[in-house]
Amino acid sequence: MSDSLVVCEVDPELKEKLRKFRFRKETDNAAIIMKVDKDRQMVVLEEEFQNISPEELKTELPERQPRFVVYSYKYVHEDGRVSYPLCFIFSSPVGCKPEQQMMYAGSKNRLVQTAELTKVWAWA
């Protein structure tokens, strides 16, 4: 049932940004932070970062509000191969308003499908 629940659509401009991000050629760590625009009931771009570590990314997220993040990072395999996986992070800190948590939770699956992501993490 929850797989079909859609609370918010994805902004068309954000869809294009995510598509370009997915096929980016740069080799630095990068992130797109997204939020729910409650009035428009739409997931929109909040901010983009280049050359950002996971620790720096964590400090950019609000302490009391949920956010979605798509993160691209350099990964060196044991055999020396290098890859640049895309990860989807759903940040829902303790203390968020229940209404916000429901809007984000109900929008997550649509966003993951739109961005065509397979690695999904939740931070609380």
Side-chain angles (χ1 to χ4, degrees):
M1 183 80 150
S2 65
D3 285 343
S4 62
L5 175 67
V6 176
V7 175
C8 298
E9 291 296 330
V10 180
D11 180 35
E13 290 179 16
L14 177 57
K15 284 182 185 180
E16 180 61 20
K17 174 104 28 208
L18 288 168
R19 188 189 68 72
K20 288 180 180 176
F21 191 76
R22 181 178 180 80
F23 297 108
R24 66 194 283 272
K25 301 293 184 206
E26 294 83 2
T27 58
D28 61 336
N29 295 353
I32 292 178
I33 298 178
M34 298 155 283
K35 66 180 181 179
V36 168
D37 181 331
K38 182 180 165 186
D39 297 331
R40 295 170 49 204
Q41 290 196 339
M42 193 167 286
V43 179
V44 298
L45 174 70
E46 180 175 55
E47 202 163 355
E48 261 186 290
F49 294 94
Q50 299 295 324
N51 198 24
I52 186 168
S53 71
E55 295 78 20
E56 292 168 325
L57 176 60
K58 190 173 180 180
T59 65
E60 293 294 334
L61 297 174
E63 289 184 25
R64 299 271 188 255
Q65 295 178 353
R67 288 297 185 267
F68 298 124
V69 180
V70 176
Y71 187 61
S72 173
Y73 64 97
K74 181 178 181 177
Y75 179 74
V76 180
H77 298 265
E78 288 181 10
D79 62 4
R81 291 178 298 118
V82 176
S83 62
Y84 299 91
L86 282 180
C87 300
F88 179 82
I89 302 165
F90 174 25
S91 171
S92 185
V94 174
C96 295
K97 295 178 182 176
E99 178 186 0
Q100 280 184 320
Q101 288 176 321
M102 289 179 64
M103 286 189 81
Y104 277 80
S107 304
K108 179 181 76 94
N109 289 338
R110 172 60 53 94
L111 183 56
V112 168
Q113 291 169 348
T114 298
E116 299 178 33
L117 300 169
T118 57
K119 295 171 181 65
V120 179
W121 283 273
W123 278 349

